[in-house]
Amino acid sequence: MRSDLMTKGIERAPHRSLLKAIGYTDSELKRPLIGIAQSANEVIPGHVHLNRICQAVKDGIRMAGGTPLEFSTIGICDGIAMGHQGMKYSLASRELIADSVESMAQAYPFDGLVLLPNCDKIVPGMIMAGARLDLPTIVVSGGPMRTGVCGGREIDLITVFEGMGKVRVGELTEAELNEIENSACPGAGSCSGMFTANSMNCLTEALGIALPGNGTTLAVDAARIRLAKASGEALMYLVEKNITLRQILTKEAFHNALAVDMAFGGSTNTSLHLPAIAHEAGIELPLSEFNRISGLTPHICNMSPGGPDHMEDLHQAGGVPAIMKTLAESGLIKEKALNVTGKTLAEVLADAAIKVLNPETIRPLDNPYHATGGLAILSGNLAPDGAVVKQSAVAPEMLEHQGPARVFDSEEEAFSAIINQQINPGDVIVIRYEGPQGGPGMREMLSPTAALAGIGLDKEVALLTDGRFSGGTRGAAIGHISPEACAGGLLGLVREGDPIKIDIPGRSLELLLDESEIAKRKALWQQPEAKIKKGYLARYARQVGSAAKGAVME
């Protein structure tokens, strides 16, 4: 066993003595030692309950003959970090989390690894480390939050963000907003729509690195505890058979993840995280692959923020396994891919209990919400390396749009203009110098997009940025524009009033200026001074790569 490096032989007596100081017995130290990377804390609602789930994972490991050793990672809630300096640290924290899990699993040679995250960058950060380490590994998420209810209608965190704009235009009173605020997030779990956390947790099932139900079983359900125990037991099977993570994270697995992502209309952030995970697994996953699979895969789930359904609706309709079975029936899934159960996907989906239980929540392929997938990658002179949009959450009238640029060099400037109603119908808002390097940290910008929706301009105004958006963003919000402005991208040359043409069906994003004018502006452009000059973000800005390749540290 790998753990023999720290527990076996007389030369390891000092090591065993230190482990016995924690309370481990000789019998426990002779069993496979399983590391549990978990991110429980009291600052993220999706993580506040993880200690209980971690205990259930430990129970499963012990029932199957292993010894669990728990350790912690940091975690940042994008919703709480939104709209201020804290958001600069969110994407950057993904690399810290990956490095910390790697450090622990190399310092302590575990025989297997359980990854226990729930939200935003914690999920991909842990999986990146798992792919780097290539141990027998399983992912157990904390599960989604229940849907909020206010005044007899279902609401979620996005309702609160959009409520700010509604107060500004007189559609809501502050008292009504306070009632929404008190009801939208009813308890523990990742926010209840198909936002970044739930998109990534569902994709762990599609990748084959988590048990069925991991993405959709509610955080507060007893079924989540049973799933955690079963996951601990499943991990011990992987250890016994020496099935490592890279044996599961194959090209076929990433194909399946993209197909499911397109089918349920996942967060635009998956176009950052899946390539980053693939990079750690030694697999290239270009943005062009997102477009290719989007063209093949109908959008069959109408999830919040683009539609009315929430995670508990998807779970009750059959969850990710039902989506995959639907896609597999038309050959859109690679069924030979291996799963953490030790079975192929075909064997897993052969279970008669896996079926669609609500054909409106998971529609058949011949009756989709949209003929193509939920995400689209755009290119053109404004984004030669690519830009991403959640096309399933764009109003039909905004799929093609041309308008004058309204240029802002920070999120704060743009948000102020929006909330103070200084934006006109037809405008194309440009928020630049918010990319991975220029931000630094590529902030998520739910505040401006939600404000646009709140004041009723989401069907009349587009927003472009080299930053990124929350999975909760809706409207013609196009992010991850690469190269970013700080790296000399054309976005940095746009001026107030310049005409910009957006063609989402045609996959293009163009600044309508002739080449001579662009050349003149390039000759005058100078890279701006770094916004942050010390600390982790300064190091991150110097080392981070393009969003087009997952914004990984180079």
Side-chain angles (χ1 to χ4, degrees):
M1 294 189 299
R2 188 171 181 264
S3 59
D4 288 348
L5 292 169
M6 66 176 175
T7 59
K8 191 173 183 179
I10 59 170
E11 67 276 14
R12 295 297 182 252
H15 305 64
R16 291 192 297 272
S17 181
L18 288 166
L19 288 166
K20 287 177 180 179
I22 302 170
Y24 294 109
T25 65
D26 283 323
S27 176
E28 286 178 301
L29 296 178
K30 289 176 182 177
R31 299 170 189 164
L33 301 185
I34 308 303
I36 303 177
Q38 77 123 323
S39 48
N41 58 59
E42 295 181 351
V43 293
I44 308 178
H47 293 236
V48 71
H49 65 306
L50 289 188
N51 282 327
R52 185 181 178 212
I53 294 174
C54 186
Q55 184 58 54
V57 171
K58 291 178 184 177
D59 292 343
I61 290 168
R62 288 196 175 99
M63 286 189 293
T67 299
L69 291 85
E70 172 192 344
F71 62 93
S72 300
T73 71
I74 64 168
I76 292 174
C77 173
D78 280 20
I80 298 173
M82 194 75 64
H84 59 85
Q85 188 81 353
M87 181 51 78
K88 292 180 182 289
Y89 285 86
S90 176
L91 181 61
S93 76
R94 187 187 71 179
E95 315 308 310
L96 287 175
I97 291 162
D99 289 350
S100 67
V101 174
E102 175 201 353
S103 299
M104 288 296 290
Q106 296 288 33
Y108 299 87
F110 301 124
D111 299 301
L113 195 61
V114 178
L115 305 176
L116 181 51
N118 205 30
C119 292
D120 298 306
K121 311 309 160 293
I122 303 98
V123 180
M126 286 194 184
I127 300 171
M128 287 165 65
R132 194 182 297 171
L133 292 161
D134 195 29
L135 298 173
T137 303
I138 196 166
V139 180
V140 186
S141 81
M145 189 183 288
R146 285 191 299 110
T147 309
V149 177
C150 183
R153 71 183 182 105
E154 293 186 343
I155 62 171
D156 55 37
L157 180 64
I158 308 309
T159 317
V160 189
F161 271 98
E162 294 182 0
M164 296 185 298
K166 291 182 184 297
V167 170
R168 287 284 185 169
V169 296
E171 289 187 22
L172 280 178
T173 65
E174 289 190 36
E176 289 170 328
L177 178 60
N178 183 252
E179 186 178 355
I180 292 170
E181 172 188 326
N182 291 336
S183 307
C185 300
S190 49
C191 297
S192 58
M194 190 57 79
F195 314 142
T196 302
N198 290 326
S199 295
M200 290 305 302
N201 284 329
C202 285
L203 293 183
T204 62
E205 294 186 51
L207 287 166
I209 59 177
L211 291 181
N214 183 62
T216 59
T217 304
L218 287 181
V220 295
D221 278 3
R224 173 62 58 182
I225 301 301
R226 296 194 296 272
L227 178 68
K229 291 179 181 177
S231 297
E233 292 181 289
L235 188 277
M236 293 308 298
Y237 175 82
L238 296 176
V239 170
E240 178 189 348
K241 300 299 181 183
N242 195 30
I243 299 173
T244 65
L245 198 61
R246 287 194 202 171
Q247 291 173 275
I248 298 173
L249 287 178
T250 61
K251 287 184 178 180
E252 291 74 19
F254 284 100
H255 171 98
N256 291 343
L258 288 180
V260 172
D261 192 10
M262 299 306 161
F264 63 44
S267 165
T268 52
N269 285 305
T270 62
S271 67
L272 285 174
H273 301 321
L274 289 175
I277 294 166
H279 173 78
E280 297 291 355
I283 294 170
E284 186 177 359
L285 188 64
L287 288 180
S288 58
E289 193 67 0
F290 283 74
N291 262 351
R292 187 184 73 81
I293 294 181
S294 179
L296 298 172
T297 312
H299 174 230
I300 57 175
C301 302
N302 201 16
M303 307 290 295
S304 175
D309 287 334
H310 291 86
M311 297 309 296
E312 58 196 279
D313 301 310
L314 180 57
H315 186 69
Q316 292 163 7
V320 175
I323 294 174
M324 297 186 80
K325 196 165 193 173
T326 300
L327 297 176
E329 289 168 357
S330 292
L332 297 174
I333 288 289
K334 305 291 186 182
E335 294 190 78
K336 292 182 180 179
L338 187 63
N339 187 277
V340 286
T341 60
K343 301 176 182 178
T344 65
L345 183 58
E347 291 173 308
V348 172
L349 296 180
D351 187 342
I354 297 175
K355 56 187 175 181
V356 175
L357 301 174
N358 184 336
E360 273 302 297
T361 299
I362 304 174
R363 283 191 173 182
L365 295 180
D366 60 2
N367 183 33
Y369 287 99
H370 300 94
T372 57
L375 299 184
I377 306 300
L378 311 185
S379 59
N381 69 354
L382 258 181
D385 294 342
V388 62
V389 61
K390 191 171 188 174
Q391 62 179 348
S392 60
V394 179
E397 56 266 41
M398 288 299 293
L399 291 171
E400 296 181 55
H401 180 74
Q402 182 174 323
R406 301 293 306 279
V407 182
F408 304 94
D409 287 346
S410 72
E411 176 189 0
E412 287 85 355
E413 292 175 18
F415 179 72
S416 176
I418 294 166
I419 208 70
N420 289 308
Q421 301 179 60
Q422 296 168 0
I423 301 298
N424 304 311
D427 284 349
V428 178
I429 299 170
V430 172
I431 305 177
R432 62 191 180 189
Y433 299 109
E434 290 286 9
Q437 177 186 345
M442 201 180 182
R443 283 195 285 182
E444 235 177 45
M445 300 189 199
L446 180 56
S447 295
T449 58
L452 280 174
I455 64 176
L457 286 179
D458 57 304
K459 296 180 181 179
E460 299 180 80
V461 169
L463 195 156
L464 314 182
T465 184
D466 51 9
R468 60 192 178 90
F469 297 113
S470 164
T473 288
R474 61 187 174 99
I478 299 168
H480 308 197
I481 291 176
S482 302
E484 61 176 289
C486 189
L490 189 57
L491 198 69
L493 306 182
V494 179
R495 295 178 182 172
E496 191 82 4
D498 283 349
I500 292 176
K501 183 178 180 181
I502 299 163
D503 183 358
I504 295 173
R507 304 293 192 258
S508 73
L509 183 62
E510 296 282 341
L511 176 63
L512 300 179
L513 294 180
D514 60 49
E515 287 300 319
S516 62
E517 176 61 23
I518 291 173
K520 288 178 187 176
R521 295 186 188 184
K522 280 184 178 178
L524 296 172
W525 182 82
Q526 293 182 331
Q527 186 175 40
E529 188 176 345
K531 295 177 183 176
I532 295 178
K533 297 180 175 63
K534 63 180 182 179
Y536 174 58
L537 280 182
R539 298 196 303 275
Y540 178 84
R542 290 193 296 268
Q543 294 180 272
V544 69
S546 169
K549 295 186 177 180
V552 297
M553 297 276 276
E554 296 176 346

